[in-house]
């Protein structure tokens, strides 16, 4: 029989098994449809074959369309729809045998088979929405025909896969196979081989459709997927599936899929998908780099940050010893931590048993020497170099020789901290983002002497605790905060020129950020930024900062924690303008002789993203970030930059770098040399990443 390298054919008496061999995740790449079609044609023509089993080789069934082919013209894209059509009309029973993850095109392939069997640990889903697209090979028509409209919408709009056990209850899986999947699937195929008519999902009717349900779904996505294109297309298509013949939905789906695939939103989400995976790779660090075994963690400081950091490890089942300087602070920290867990339990995210299990892994202490058994110690104490140096000197004396000593500093020089120890190669920065148990980003600060083993261990650990770890170099603010500092400066300038803080925040909200710069400042605490500005001014020998925001801090308003800052807040924490603060800003402008002008939302977003891009380019040039993609990942996971815009550096490419350069010049900034060069050469930051990867 004809074989293609990606699909193996093997005969088990009267059953033909087609095994997809396209590691690592059996994506539907070029060669897969050809192999499947050839196998199906052979099986149709061979009277000795009674049924066909389709299975994935290696660790999984098909995990979806090959995302790398999304940029190809339609004619060159792998023909998933054609394969699905061939399966749907196939004259003999077909059985999809699922293990690992049957996602996207993989599940659509399975839905076009007559039967589906799965191992209990398999997971099934249509995650296309996460890539800004929609199921494009019959998924929007077939899934509601099997699981009903509500469940189909839930699965497609969340993109979250369901376990095979649930799929079995829903009828999405016909049988769970406990033992060997292939053996079980072949036995199942033999049992159904003679059954006629062959069941076809496309011939079923849709259950559970009501106009109210679609109206509710449309309303819900306004909140859950604000500003996004593909969720609305998914709802339209499921409605079509529920109200019109299958064929009509099938045709519409093809067209909508292309519309979504070609959208800037899908380009942005695909960029982040690959950038996230790329960020896990560190040039020069082989896969065989030895890792340290982290079995116990120490955290110094039980404040908001320390408590949040500790929770990450407790959640992953690692014991944590947490140290404070006073019993009162320790008790307060512990009760906050417990309250956090209990509120998760109330929301049904954790059982009370699980809360107790996690709390039992926590050892509170006032004795630093209790950290002697920890394999990793993270300090989250006051942001002061002298304090940190004293602490690291002490840690060096009491920690086990192999222990990693980490600082959660967000601004200080990790090299300087490492230098006070006798083991600078064991010192690293682990910069968590607040709230540390929620935000997915972890900046992993590689100091001059940090060893490869320590770095690789921390990358692996990030994954273990569910974080996206991105390696950054040492500089003031590392990547994220260094950029946000420039962004904050520009936001304050915009207000000085005439924009209201509400207008600045609203423009960034409209761009898709959950919080604008001033909402963020009020949440973080105005005194924090003020202290940094004072510190910088002192370092540079400049006078004390006295901008309009500094004057607000001096009135005693420090943000949400004091009930108000730039804005006032009600019980629901919704910001409202404060008349006194507006007057303060107006007085400031008058004092500086500024005649306020109208600033458009477009100018606000261009200037603010422009400053992010410009500082990002400097960071990249200095090698503080390895790739532009890393910066995007940092901004999406640490600062709420909308993933569907692909992060600031990707968004620069969408606008055109030349335009970013022109904007910067127009508003009085000097474009970074790297940005200017790329713009001149008509390139993007993705081109730069490729150049750097090639060396
Ligand atoms: N197309 C192309 N490449 C894919 C892919 C796809 N659909 N899914 C995964 N890959 C690649 C990844 O880029 C990665 O490549 P790398 O090793 O060169 O970095 C590799 O496969 C492994 O993926 P990774 O995510 O690191 O492995 P995992 O075991 O943590 O997760 C999945 C596996 C399948 C759950 C995850 O990759 C995933 O969610 N993929 C996307 C599925 C999807 O959205 N399908 C619908 C497409 S429309």
């Amino acid at each position: 029989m004809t074989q293609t390298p990606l699909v193996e054919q093997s005969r088990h008496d009267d059953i033909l098994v087609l095994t997809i061999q396209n590691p690592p995740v059996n994506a539907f790449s070029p060669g897969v449809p050809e192999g499947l079609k050839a196998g199906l044609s052979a099986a149709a023509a061979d009277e000795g074959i009674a049924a066909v089993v389709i299975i994935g080789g290696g660790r999984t069934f098909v995990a979806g369309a090959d995302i790398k082919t999304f940029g190809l013209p339609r004619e060159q894209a792998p023909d998933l729809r054609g394969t699905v059509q061939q399966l749907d009309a196939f004259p003999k029973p077909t059985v999809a045998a699922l293990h690992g993850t049957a996602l996207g095109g993989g599940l659509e392939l399975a839905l076009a088979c007559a039967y589906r069997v799965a191992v209990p640990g398999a997971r099934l889903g249509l995650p296309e929405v996460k890539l800004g697209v929609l199921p494009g090979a019959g998924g929007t028509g077939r899934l509601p025909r099997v699981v009903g409209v509500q469940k189909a919408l839930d699965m497609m709009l969340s993109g979250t896969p369901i376990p095979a056990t649930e799929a079995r209850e829903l009828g999405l899986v016909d049988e769970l196979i406990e033992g060997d999947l292939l053996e079980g699937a072949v036995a199942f195929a033999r049992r159904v081989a003679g059954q006629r008519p062959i069941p076809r999902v496309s011939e079923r009717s849709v259950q559970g459709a009501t106009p109210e349900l679609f109206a509710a779904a449309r309303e819900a996505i306004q909140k859950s997927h604000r500003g996004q294109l593909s969720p609305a297309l998914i709802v339209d298509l499921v409605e079509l599936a529920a109200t019109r013949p299958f064929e009509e939905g099938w045709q519409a789906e093809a067209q909508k899929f292309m519309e979504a695939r070609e959208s800037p939103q899908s380009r942005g989400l695909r960029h982040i998908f690959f950038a996230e995976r790329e960020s896990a790779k560190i040039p020069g660090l082989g896969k065989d780099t030895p890792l340290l075994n982290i079995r116990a963690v120490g955290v110094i400081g039980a404040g908001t940050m320390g408590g949040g950091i500790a929770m990450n490890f407790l959640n992953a089942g690692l014991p944590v010893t947490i140290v404070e300087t006073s019993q009162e602070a320790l008790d307060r920290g512990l009760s906050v931590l417990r309250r956090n867990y209990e509120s998760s339990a109330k929301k049904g995210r954790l059982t009370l048993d699980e809360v107790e299990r996690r709390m039992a892994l926590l050892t509170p202490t006032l004795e630093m020497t209790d950290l002697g058994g920890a394999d990793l110690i993270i300090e989250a104490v006051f942001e002061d170099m002298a304090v940190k140096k004293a602490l690291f000197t002490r840690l060096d004396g009491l920690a086990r020789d192999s222990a990693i000593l980490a600082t959660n500093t967000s601004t200080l020089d990790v090299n300087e901290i490492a230098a006070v120890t006798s083991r600078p190669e064991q010192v690293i920065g682990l910069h968590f983002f607040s709230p540390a148990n929620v935000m997915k980003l972890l900046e992993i600060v590689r100091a001059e002497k940090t060893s490869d083993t320590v770095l690789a261990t921390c990358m692996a650990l990030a994954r273990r605790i569910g974080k996206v770890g991105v390696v950054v170099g040492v500089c003031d603010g590392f990547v994220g905060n260094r950029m946000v500092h420039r962004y904050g400066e520009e936001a304050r300038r915009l207000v000085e020129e005439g924009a209201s803080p509400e207008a600045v925040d609203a423009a960034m909200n409209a761009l898709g950020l959950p919080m604008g710069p001033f909402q963020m400042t009020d949440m973080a605490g105005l005194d924090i930024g003020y202290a940094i500005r004072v510190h910088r001014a002192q370092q540079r020998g400049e006078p004390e900062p006295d901008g309009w925001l500094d004057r607000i801090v001096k009135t005693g308003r420090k943000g949400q924690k004091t009930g108000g800052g730039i804005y006032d807040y009600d019980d629901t924490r919704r910001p409202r303008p404060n008349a006194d603060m507006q007057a303060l800003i107006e007085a400031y402008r008058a004092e500086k002789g500024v005649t306020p002008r109208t600033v458009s939302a477009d100018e606000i977003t261009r200037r603010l993203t422009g400053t992010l891009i410009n500082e990002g380019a400097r960071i990249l040039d200095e090698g503080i970030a390895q790739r532009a993609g890393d910066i995007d990942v940092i901004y999406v996971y640490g600062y709420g930059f909308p993933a569907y815009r692909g992060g600031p550096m990707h968004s620069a490419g969408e606008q055109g770098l030349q335009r970013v350069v022109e904007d910067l010049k127009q508003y009085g900034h000097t474009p970074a040399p790297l940005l200017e060069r790329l713009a001149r050469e008509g390139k993007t930051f993705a081109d730069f990443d490729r150049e750097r990867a090639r060396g």
Side-chain angles (χ1 to χ4, degrees), residues 24-25 59 63 65-67 127-128 131 273-274 277 281 463:
V25 298
R59 62 167 152 135
D66 182 345
I67 308 165
E128 287 85 347
L131 295 168
F273 177 86
F274 287 118
R277 281 154 183 82
K281 297 168 194 158
R463 203 174 157 103

Side-chain angles (χ1 to χ4, degrees), residues 316-335:
L318 277 161
V320 176
T321 303
I322 193 161
V323 191
E324 254 301 346
T325 45
S326 76
Q327 190 62 43
E328 198 196 343
L330 195 58
D331 291 345
R332 196 170 344 113
L334 248 61
S335 77

Side-chain angles (χ1 to χ4, degrees), residues 226 500-512 516-517 519 567 601 605:
R226 190 167 63 95
S500 65
E502 305 85 272
V504 173
D505 283 339
M508 297 316 279
N509 291 153
L511 193 76
Q519 293 158 339
Y567 301 111
T605 48

